[in-house]
Amino acid sequence: MELITTVFSHFDSAIAIILVLGGLIFIHELGHFLAFRSLGVGVVTFSIGMGPKIWGIKKGKTTYQIAAFPFGGYVASVGEYSKEVEEIGFTQEEAVNNRPAWQRMYFAFAGPFANLLTAWVIYTLLSFTSGMNILLPQVGLMLPDSPAAASGLQEKDLITAINGKTVSSWNEVPEIVNNSGGQPLTFTVDRNGTSLDFVITPKKMPRTNIFGEEEIAWLIGIQPLGTVRNEELGFSASLKQGVTQSWDMIVLTLTGLKKMITGSVSADSVGGPLLIGEMIAKQAENGLVSVLLLAALISVNLGLLNLLPIPVLDGGLIFFCLVEMIIRRPVPEKLQERLMQLGALLLIGLMVFATFNDIMRWFK
């Protein structure tokens, strides 16, 4: 009985993992598929998952299938993996290898673009249906012996202005303080309906950024209380908010990737499928909105990582096409094959390393 209870307690989480990962992979491959079909390229196989086929159906000339290993998928166009064309029922006009480089670059870009577009759609829909939560500039925990504590500022004080400039969200506070250069700032706060002014001089103090790095910044030693206000957004404002959130997530992802490459962020932070599944399972406990926000984050990461100029990834194919357009001839097939093999080994090694990190986290 205990085993049955345990299984059912994790059933919702398992469904969430399957829907999020499977859904994002499907959207990515659908982007490639629609791009191929939009320019008349034949598709041999549309596969969700990699490895042996566990289910499939053939419609027209295309086989649609689900494969054994869920972390991946592919759309095999005519002439992409084999030179057979007429032999499998297609024409030379439908073969991708007969298309110019700009079209092949478009085919490769369509998958990552579909993921980035999905993130924008999620952020837009959530903004339209749930509004936008804004963290209030309300004082929470204060560090002992900090400038804020010494000034007489108290927990629950609502910051309404700094140096006469109106403050409406918490995000404005650390930005203004850090840009002060250590000059005294006048904080106007609302304390139980009474307006009070406090002159606070920031000092350089250590803080940890979103990537876990310690940095020195001008601070006054306060944290937000955590209270929020919700603003309803119309459709046009939701579209704009969707763009803003998508762009912020793209910048955040690229910054994190840059920090990993340069070594300023530990390689131990790299996570694989197990960590992703664990994150989805945790968010599933918090409701649909949390799952959708995580799905948008994963979708952005999936789109950007596939654009890296690594052979076997979409970015590698785009790179080959760009080189072909510059030198006016295709990159030699043997060179492409060898680079593809190196790219595959790199990705396999990265996957093994990420999975190892996932397993080691369980023992920490």
Side-chain angles (χ1 to χ4, degrees):
M1 179 61 70
E2 183 178 350
L3 176 61
I4 295 176
T5 302
T6 301
V7 170
F8 276 96
S9 67
H10 294 287
F11 183 74
D12 290 344
S13 297
I15 293 297
I17 293 171
I18 293 171
L19 290 178
V20 170
L21 292 182
L24 293 179
I25 291 170
F26 172 77
I27 288 170
H28 180 94
E29 301 306 332
L30 182 63
H32 290 306
F33 177 81
L34 293 177
F36 283 133
R37 299 309 302 140
S38 68
L39 294 183
V41 171
V43 175
V44 180
T45 307
F46 185 124
S47 178
I48 301 301
M50 307 291 285
K53 179 176 69 174
I54 59 176
W55 177 87
I57 184 173
K58 188 168 184 178
K59 287 192 174 182
K61 301 177 182 179
T62 305
T63 297
Y64 302 87
Q65 68 178 38
I66 296 176
F69 304 109
F71 300 109
Y74 62 92
V75 175
S77 59
V78 180
E80 185 174 6
Y81 300 109
S82 170
K83 293 185 178 180
E84 291 184 339
V85 178
E86 287 93 347
E87 296 90 336
I88 55 176
F90 292 90
T91 64
Q92 289 294 334
E93 289 74 19
E94 294 178 290
V96 70
N97 55 341
N98 291 330
R99 297 304 177 98
W102 71 265
Q103 288 190 11
R104 286 182 275 118
M105 189 162 60
Y106 159 65
F107 300 145
F109 180 73
F113 176 75
N115 285 125
L116 297 177
L117 183 64
T118 297
W120 171 73
V121 169
I122 291 175
Y123 287 133
T124 298
L125 288 177
L126 289 179
S127 297
F128 185 67
T129 57
S130 303
M132 180 172 60
N133 286 331
I134 299 175
L135 185 62
L136 295 179
Q138 194 165 15
V139 179
L141 179 67
M142 284 189 291
L143 297 178
D145 303 322
S146 66
S151 72
L153 209 63
Q154 295 181 6
E155 186 177 332
K156 295 186 179 180
D157 283 348
L158 180 66
I159 302 170
T160 57
I162 301 177
N163 278 359
K165 180 182 177 182
T166 301
V167 173
S168 59
S169 71
W170 173 263
N171 291 339
E172 299 171 73
V173 177
E175 181 179 354
I176 294 173
V177 171
N178 192 38
N179 291 335
S180 69
Q183 296 298 312
L185 298 171
T186 300
F187 282 71
T188 303
V189 305
D190 184 310
R191 181 181 294 172
N192 299 321
T194 302
S195 181
L196 302 172
D197 288 335
F198 298 90
V199 177
I200 307 175
T201 302
K203 70 176 184 180
K204 285 191 173 182
M205 301 167 64
R207 69 178 179 185
T208 302
N209 64 23
I210 192 172
F211 300 104
E213 300 172 297
E214 188 173 281
E215 59 185 17
I216 302 299
W218 292 105
L219 303 172
I220 62 172
I222 61 174
Q223 295 180 5
L225 186 63
T227 50
V228 299
R229 75 171 184 273
N230 182 268
E231 289 187 2
E232 293 186 3
L233 299 177
F235 185 67
S236 59
S238 297
L239 292 173
K240 182 179 178 180
Q241 181 63 17
V243 171
T244 299
Q245 287 184 277
S246 298
W247 178 250
D248 289 344
M249 198 56 61
I250 289 172
V251 172
L252 183 66
T253 301
L254 292 177
T255 302
L257 182 61
K258 177 184 175 182
K259 289 179 178 293
M260 285 186 185
I261 293 174
T262 59
S264 58
V265 172
S266 172
D268 292 342
S269 61
V270 176
L274 298 180
L275 177 61
I276 294 173
E278 182 181 354
M279 291 171 63
I280 296 173
K282 286 182 178 179
Q283 295 308 313
E285 298 174 0
N286 298 326
L288 179 60
V289 171
S290 295
V291 172
L292 288 175
L293 286 171
L294 181 59
L297 170 61
I298 296 173
S299 195
V300 168
N301 278 264
L302 182 60
L304 293 179
L305 291 177
N306 268 282
L307 286 174
L308 292 176
I310 299 175
V312 310
L313 292 181
D314 297 319
L317 297 177
I318 292 173
F319 176 74
F320 287 145
C321 291
L322 286 173
V323 171
E324 180 178 338
M325 293 169 70
I326 293 171
I327 66 175
R328 298 183 181 279
R329 64 178 182 274
V331 177
E333 287 189 14
K334 288 188 177 180
L335 178 58
Q336 288 193 45
E337 289 176 2
R338 290 181 180 179
L339 291 175
M340 290 281 190
Q341 291 170 355
L342 287 175
L345 288 174
L346 176 64
L347 289 183
I348 292 172
L350 180 61
M351 182 65 72
V352 171
F353 176 71
T355 304
F356 174 78
N357 279 350
D358 293 345
I359 294 173
M360 293 305 296
R361 287 188 188 95
W362 291 348
F363 294 98
K364 293 181 180 180

